[in-house]
Amino acid sequence: MKKRLLVIVLCLAMAASMLAGCGSSAAGDSQNSQGASSGTSSAAAANSDEEITLTVMSTLITETEAPLEQAMADAYMKEHQNVKIKFLEQPVNEMAKKIIALNTSGDLPDAFFMPTEFMAQAHDMGIIVDHEKLLGPEFISTLNEKVVEFGKIEGQLMLVPWHVIPVALIARADWMKDAGIDKIETVADFQTAAKAFTKDGHWGFSMVGTKNGSGEARFCQFIRTFGVNEVYKDASGKWVSDLTTDKYKKALQTFVDLSKKDGVVPPGVTETGYPEAVAYFAKEQTGLMISGSNAIGAIESANPALKGKLVSIPMPADERHVTNLQTSGYAITTECKNPEAMADYLKFMTSKDIAVDFAIKSGRLPVTKEAISAPELQTDSFKGFLDCMQYALPQPSFPAYTEILDIMGDSYNTMLATNRTIDEIMKTVETRLKSVLEANN
């Protein structure tokens, strides 16, 4: 009965929030004793008479999904009158820098949205509670095993999983049919489709060419399909990288050629970030996009006429299919004074009815076994994202992983923006990579 009431309250809150939205354009020990409580004590803390304020540094609150997240918080606060959830806005591409700065000043929030690429560094900083102890084994057992596995760094679960965003290729199914294309399995198939779609004022590919987290994450998956491992430990336990190999050189040149040689990318690509790439697709100016499943929600929200016309496909392979599972959620910090209440709220966000509704509206897929198998998600739009989860590669635990991404970002962004040759770029990559690896070996 209580579960039904929560769902009704959430739906009412979401409706009110969406209408409102339409009217306006000090590091500590990561094994801190705060993490020793079970789910039972979590619920007790949230339902006590004590006035509790939870500060949550959110990235979604800055994006189109903001009304959906706010509605969840409103529904929870309605059921727990003593709890106030206060969101702090922070764009995802700047989250890591912000948390580092706040840790230095001793002003960490109770929880923050954990970017995948920041996990290893956050682990080294020792600012995250023991989530497994805090959440309890019963809740952990409800989660998809890969979600838990890919949310860990050196055995520590770095966040409370909320949703996953597998990376795949989104394509216009109707454009494929018109072009006589029945499958996009390989990189060559992808190039053929991009060229076929580039006509009559349209371009084939919504490339994210900005040098930031959005562009680097997509480029990383592209090069991985060529067999490139950006950083990993060899048999001796030493950190090494494939970024100086011919495989990376081929992947980089192929990526850049999509814009500079094949002409299948809209102009101004180095300034095209995720929002611009989604806008091109939603305006029906492009027909292919490498992205997480959340782009489905963003595209269909911007252009409802595209519902039923999108298909998701595992990343086309040169050597292999890949994906980044992108286990996403909130990390509870060691500075949180009410970790049990914080955990109780984060568990609430993963409950089946709420998670499935959120997935349909946002494209961010559930983390529990029950929710992820819901019939509502077995559609062409989501099928490729669900299928590609079997190809997920783990997040490297390299402490300076963001520096590796920065090297890759510089390489494609510079080539797209200048006339520097691939050989010149590779020399720069080799020099920078050598320095980063030596500093961490």
Side-chain angles (χ1 to χ4, degrees), residues 254-266:
T254 302
F255 186 79
V256 171
D257 281 349
L258 289 166
S259 174
K260 301 193 77 171
K261 179 181 176 182
D262 301 333
V264 300
V265 177

Side-chain angles (χ1 to χ4, degrees), residues 294-350:
N294 58 308
I296 294 289
I299 291 167
E300 292 183 348
S301 176
N303 185 355
L306 289 180
K307 290 183 179 180
K309 296 181 179 179
L310 307 183
V311 61
S312 58
I313 302 165
M315 283 289 293
D318 183 82
E319 183 174 308
R320 60 184 178 180
H321 297 297
V322 299
T323 194
N324 176 10
L325 194 56
Q326 290 192 79
T327 296
S328 302
Y330 284 104
I332 302 175
T333 71
T334 52
E335 296 300 309
C336 181
K337 293 181 173 58
N338 298 285
E340 294 86 5
M342 187 78 252
D344 192 62
Y345 167 59
L346 298 179
K347 288 181 181 180
F348 169 80
M349 296 166 70
T350 70

Side-chain angles (χ1 to χ4, degrees), residues 13 18 29 90 92 119 151 168 197 204 223 272 316 324 350 394 418 420:
M18 290 293 283
D29 182 359
Q90 185 61 45
V92 66
M119 284 185 182
F197 293 174
I223 67 167
T272 300
N324 176 10
T350 70
T418 70
R420 292 187 64 187

Side-chain angles (χ1 to χ4, degrees), residues 119-419:
M119 284 185 182
Q121 190 170 0
H123 178 271
D124 281 2
M125 291 167 67
I127 59 174
I128 307 302
V129 302
D130 186 333
H131 289 110
E132 287 194 83
K133 284 186 178 180
L134 182 61
L135 295 169
E138 183 177 349
F139 176 76
I140 294 295
S141 70
T142 68
L143 300 172
N144 177 283
E145 289 82 359
K146 278 192 173 292
V147 167
V148 177
E149 177 188 353
F150 284 40
K152 289 184 176 182
I153 295 292
E154 296 185 8
Q156 182 183 1
L157 184 61
M158 295 302 296
L159 73 176
V160 180
W162 175 19
H163 54 79
V164 290
I165 312 176
V167 175
L169 180 69
I170 301 171
R172 284 288 298 268
D174 51 340
W175 287 15
M176 287 177 63
K177 183 178 179 180
D178 291 344
I181 298 172
D182 59 357
K183 66 180 179 66
I184 302 178
E185 179 76 17
T186 67
V187 170
D189 293 339
F190 168 72
Q191 292 170 308
T192 297
K195 291 174 182 177
F197 293 174
T198 303
K199 61 180 181 178
D200 303 328
H202 299 154
W203 294 272
F205 180 39
S206 262
M207 177 187 287
V208 178
T210 48
K211 182 189 169 298
N212 58 19
S214 292
E216 291 161 0
R218 288 163 176 77
F219 177 70
C220 185
Q221 298 314 304
F222 185 83
I223 67 167
R224 283 179 171 187
T225 69
F226 286 75
V228 175
N229 294 310
E230 66 274 23
V231 63
Y232 59 99
K233 284 185 177 180
D234 64 13
S236 69
K238 182 180 179 181
W239 287 108
V240 293
S241 171
D242 290 339
L243 297 189
T244 58
T245 66
D246 286 341
K247 286 184 178 181
Y248 180 70
K249 185 177 181 178
K250 177 184 177 183
L252 174 59
Q253 188 68 67
T254 302
F255 186 79
V256 171
D257 281 349
L258 289 166
S259 174
K260 301 193 77 171
K261 179 181 176 182
D262 301 333
V264 300
V265 177
V269 63
T270 57
E271 301 299 323
T272 300
Y274 169 73
E276 292 80 17
V278 165
Y280 278 127
F281 205 109
K283 292 176 182 178
E284 305 190 53
Q285 294 176 302
T286 56
L288 297 165
M289 183 176 178
I290 294 172
S291 195
S293 54
N294 58 308
I296 294 289
I299 291 167
E300 292 183 348
S301 176
N303 185 355
L306 289 180
K307 290 183 179 180
K309 296 181 179 179
L310 307 183
V311 61
S312 58
I313 302 165
M315 283 289 293
D318 183 82
E319 183 174 308
R320 60 184 178 180
H321 297 297
V322 299
T323 194
N324 176 10
L325 194 56
Q326 290 192 79
T327 296
S328 302
Y330 284 104
I332 302 175
T333 71
T334 52
E335 296 300 309
C336 181
K337 293 181 173 58
N338 298 285
E340 294 86 5
M342 187 78 252
D344 192 62
Y345 167 59
L346 298 179
K347 288 181 181 180
F348 169 80
M349 296 166 70
T350 70
S351 56
K352 181 184 175 182
D353 293 323
I354 293 171
V356 171
D357 182 70
F358 181 59
I360 292 169
K361 292 175 179 176
S362 71
R364 298 169 188 265
L365 303 180
V367 293
T368 66
K369 299 169 189 173
E370 182 184 24
I372 206 166
S373 61
E376 299 93 321
L377 301 180
Q378 313 310 308
T379 65
D380 287 342
S381 294
F382 291 121
K383 188 177 184 300
F385 290 111
L386 295 173
D387 289 347
C388 77
M389 290 175 68
Q390 64 183 301
Y391 305 121
L393 297 178
Q395 169 74 18
S397 59
F398 187 61
Y401 187 65
T402 54
E403 294 182 50
I404 298 294
L405 291 177
D406 188 67
I407 291 172
M408 294 191 294
D410 267 338
S411 66
Y412 71 74
N413 190 265
T414 300
M415 280 194 72
L416 287 168
T418 70
N419 291 321

